[in-house]
Every structure is written in structure tokens, then in C-alpha cells.
Amino acid sequence: MNPFKYGRVVFDEDFCPRPELEKNLKNYISSAQNVLLEGERRTGKTSLVYQAVRGLPKFRLLYIDILEIKTVDDFCRRIINAVVSMERKSGMTEKLFKSLAHLKPSLTFDPLTGSPSLSLDASVKLKPGYIEGLMDLIEEENKKKKSVVVFDEFQDILNLKEAVAALAQLRSKVQFHTEIPYVFAGSVRNKMDEIFNHPDSAFFKSAVTLNVGELERDIFGDFLRKKFSKGKRRISKPLLDKMFDIAQDVPGDVQQFCGAAWDATSEGDNIDEDIIPTALELVFSRELKGYETSLSHLTGQQLRCLVGLARMGGKSPLSSEFINGTGISQPASVKKALNRLIKLKTIYRYKKEYKFINPFFKSWLIYKNF
Ligand SMILES: Nc1ncnc2c1ncn2[C@@H]1O[C@H](COP(=O)(O)OP(=O)(O)OP(=O)(O)O)[C@@H](O)[C@H]1O
Ligand SMILES: [Mg+2]
């Protein structure tokens, strides 16, 4: 079985240890300090939270993922579902059912697993005023057993029309829940900054920041090489380094690349350089549809800018060298194209550099000679 896991939360033997981060996060949780967990996409924010809480048996995890919420109703339902899912692990409680009675809940049973789940009447629309009530419910839950409350992809709260009111309500409760550790995880830095570092925001400086960056190559490389060798494949450090370069050191993408290399090899193989094009082609074939969809959203100028970033890198896209290289005549047009590409979530800007969110898309543009 392919030992490389990606596109999902990893823990236990699939989690490459990050002792310093784990220790800090556990300490903050144990002292009920609220945490802002920041990092780029697929660096391991969610996995870190899971791993840390698994190491704290006194706590249980209330995990609320608010990715792509669009309305306050979505937001409230995500909270309720998270509470239900947490309670399900300890046996669905009558009390919870009663406290949600006004939302006309119904209990259904999964035909495969037999596990109960709660669904709410879709015609009931939850309004911003409801958030405080749900925060009180979280406080009640915490009295039963200590809970770590995680709001994942927290930046998406800014999608709400009523974002300011929703944040104010959340904050008004969070600040009095002094015994509950809250973790706010998010990946779109400037949006998380808007929430936590803007003086007008209700959450201004309300949490200590932990930055989840790349995994150190030496440690992660050893971790990955052990997985290869368990399947009787050998891979050298320099070759793995090349794979790290292509995957831009993003842990999820490095694992994906290793997974493809695994699929393209067999027991007893001594993996050599040829694996790079082979594994890349495998990744491309699996992701082709996504690349084509991304391209279909671009104008000619945006595409030229994107190809320029793939070929020349994203450190100085407003330099004359870059502009001449793309054939776009005006720096203002490049700027506009860059902003659009950020909006489309094709690239992101970090430390003054524009980078591809998906490094394999970048490799594909070069491979296809765009
Ligand atoms: N500590 C780790 N050890 C090994 N692999 C890891 C580790 N952390 C992350 N990964 C890899 O990254 C992938 C994504 O991890 P995770 O979902 O935790 O990241 P994330 O930062 O929450 O991502 P997203 O921004 O998409 O929510 C995992 O499936 C795994 O391949
Ligand atoms: Mg995540």
C-alpha cells in the first residue's frame, strides 16, 4: 500500500514530528491561551492541531471547519454539526437534542455504519443573533469535558455579509470563555491579518500567533526515506532534494510527489533521476482537468503573466526583464494580471514573492512549453 498520505489530515505514524511546534501548541492549549495558527496551504496546520490534541488526553477536540461558508446560517450549522459530531463520539446526548429543539432536529442513522446524525430543518434560517447562543452551547459542552475549540479556515468568516457583526459576537463570548482554548487556523495570510492585526477588528491582538511553515528538509527527508525503504525502495538524499525543490517544500505536495514516485516504482528498485519526469507525468495526468479549468478562466495577458512567473520566478514581476519576457507592454497590466491570479487562487504573495499555490501546475506550464 502506498505509504504517502496527502490531501487529508495526518497523525500518529503518518505525522512527521514537529517537536517545537507541538510543544508550544500543547502548552498554549493547556493554559487556555487562544492561538492564531497561520501558514500557507497544505503546510500541516490542521494535522498539527489533531496531533497536539491527541497528545492531551484531558481534552477533546471541537473541530469547526468553516471553509467556503457563505452565510451566517452556514456558519451556525457548521458549529452545530461540529458539536453533534463531537458528542456522537461520546454517545449522542438527550440534552443536546433538547437544546436544539427549536431548530426542529431529526435523528437519522447512517445505513452503512449505523451511527446517528442530526439534521436540522433547512427552512429555519439562522441569523447573526444566534451565534451567541451557540457560543453558550460550547461553554456548556466544555463543562462536561474540557474542549479545545478549533475554527479552521477562519479567514472565510470574512465571506459573510455580516462579518463585522459575526466577529463582534464571537469575540464578546470568546473573551469570557477564559477556560476554553480557542485555536483559529487559517491560510490566507492577509485575511487573517485583517482579523487579528487590524485595530478596528474585534479580534485585534486577541491570540498568540504560531506560524506553521515548511518542515525541515533533513527531518522530513529522513521520514520520507524511511517510508520508501519500508517498501524496499531506495532513494538518495540529493534526489529527494530535487523533489523538494519542485514541490516548493510544501509538505502536502512533497508527499503527493513521493506518492507518485512510489506508484511508478516496485520493490527492490533503486530510484534514480528518471523518476522525476515519470512521477511528474503521473501527477499531471491526475490533475489535468484542474489545470485546464484554471486556464479557461484566464485572458491572454493573464496567461502570459502566469507563464512568466513559471519561467522566470515571482521575485520581481514588475522588472523590465520580466515585462519584456512576457511580451506585456505595461507594468500596470502585469500588476492587474497578478491581482487577478491571486483572486483566482492560482498564485499567492508571500514575503514579496509571487508563488504558485500548486507547484505542479507551474511545472506543467513549463513542461507543456506554454
Ligand atoms: N507533520 C507532517 N508530517 C507529514 N506530512 C505532513 C505533515 N503536515 C502536513 N503534511 C502533509 O500535508 C498534507 C496537508 O496537511 P494539512 O491538511 O494538515 O495541512 P493544512 O495546512 O491544514 O492544509 P489546508 O491549507 O489545505 O487546510 C497532509 O496530507 C500531508 O501530506
Ligand atoms: Mg487545514
Side-chain angles (χ1 to χ4, degrees), residues 125-340:
K125 288 284 170 251
L126 303 170
K127 300 261 162 41
Y130 200 76
I131 295 173
E132 287 188 353
L134 288 178
M135 296 304 285
D136 292 341
L137 178 66
I138 289 177
E139 195 180 18
E140 287 306 308
E141 288 295 319
N142 186 62
K143 283 180 191 152
K144 293 188 208 158
K145 184 172 180 191
K146 274 176 178 287
S147 311
V148 183
V149 183
V150 178
F151 282 99
D152 206 354
E153 306 294 350
F154 190 59
Q155 74 281 340
D156 280 3
I157 198 162
L158 297 178
N159 292 349
L160 306 182
K161 213 166 62 228
E162 308 87 342
V164 173
L167 281 167
Q169 281 205 38
L170 267 185
R171 173 79 180 126
S172 72
K173 290 292 177 181
V174 166
Q175 67 182 334
F176 291 111
H177 292 179
T178 49
E179 294 190 349
I180 307 178
Y182 282 88
V183 178
F184 303 95
S187 50
V188 185
R189 269 173 211 272
N190 57 353
K191 288 194 181 169
M192 290 296 273
D193 273 352
E194 201 178 318
I195 299 172
F196 289 91
N197 295 327
H198 197 288
D200 289 343
S201 167
F203 274 82
F204 181 53
K205 291 195 177 177
S206 63
V208 52
T209 304
L210 264 188
N211 198 9
V212 183
E214 297 158 357
L215 278 154
E216 262 179 58
R217 274 196 189 189
D218 275 352
I219 298 170
F220 196 27
D222 283 350
F223 171 88
L224 296 166
R225 267 147 39 92
K226 264 190 207 132
K227 296 217 178 255
F228 276 115
S229 67
K230 269 200 181 148
K232 303 203 169 45
R233 291 151 168 87
R234 273 184 309 278
I235 187 163
S236 72
K237 211 165 172 234
L239 182 51
L240 204 51
D241 267 342
K242 286 191 182 157
M243 295 174 69
F244 273 102
D245 284 338
I246 292 170
Q248 290 178 182
D249 283 277
V250 181
D253 297 326
V254 174
Q255 288 245 34
Q256 182 182 357
F257 206 9
C258 288
W262 172 281
D263 285 340
T265 49
S266 313
E267 276 196 12
D269 280 358
N270 207 346
I271 302 176
D272 63 22
E273 299 257 344
D274 292 344
I275 197 61
I276 289 190
T278 310
L280 270 179
E281 279 172 31
L282 202 53
V283 172
F284 296 157
S285 69
R286 290 168 179 168
E287 296 195 334
L288 186 62
K289 266 214 162 77
Y291 302 158
E292 288 172 349
T293 309
S294 298
L295 291 187
S296 72
H297 292 126
L298 303 184
T299 62
Q301 215 155 54
Q302 288 157 3
L303 176 61
R304 282 204 289 281
C305 181
L306 190 67
V307 172
L309 291 175
R311 293 191 177 287
M312 295 178 270
K315 286 208 168 105
S316 44
L318 297 176
S319 66
S320 53
E321 194 194 343
F322 186 93
I323 292 169
N324 293 337
T326 57
I328 303 174
S329 51
Q330 301 289 334
S333 308
V334 173
K335 189 89 194 87
K336 228 171 115 185
L338 290 169
N339 287 338
R340 179 73 188 145

Side-chain angles (χ1 to χ4, degrees), residues 15-28 37 48 52 209-212 214-216 219:
F15 185 89
C16 174
R18 319 184 85 163
E20 194 65 23
L21 272 175
E22 285 174 60
K23 188 183 86 194
N24 287 338
L25 183 55
K26 279 181 177 168
N27 284 344
Y28 290 138
L37 202 63
L48 178 70
T209 304
L210 264 188
N211 198 9
V212 183
E214 297 158 357
L215 278 154
E216 262 179 58
I219 298 170

Side-chain angles (χ1 to χ4, degrees), residues 40 248 250 342 346-350 353-357:
E40 303 309 332
Q248 290 178 182
V250 181
I342 289 175
T346 306
I347 61 170
Y348 66 97
R349 189 167 184 230
Y350 182 53
E353 183 176 353
Y354 293 87
K355 285 185 155 188
F356 278 72
I357 287 187

Side-chain angles (χ1 to χ4, degrees), residues 60-65 75-93 95-97 99-100 116-118 120 133-142 144 147-151:
R60 58 182 181 162
L61 178 63
L62 177 55
Y63 177 74
I64 307 161
D65 187 352
F75 179 58
C76 292
R77 282 170 195 271
R78 297 277 178 100
I79 298 177
I80 294 169
N81 285 333
V83 173
V84 170
S85 157
M86 181 177 74
E87 277 297 331
R88 209 163 50 200
K89 284 173 196 138
S90 53
M92 178 87 80
T93 60
K95 216 171 146 196
L96 177 63
F97 207 72
S99 62
L100 297 171
S117 80
L118 185 131
L120 303 177
L134 288 178
M135 296 304 285
D136 292 341
L137 178 66
I138 289 177
E139 195 180 18
E140 287 306 308
E141 288 295 319
N142 186 62
K144 293 188 208 158
S147 311
V148 183
V149 183
V150 178
F151 282 99

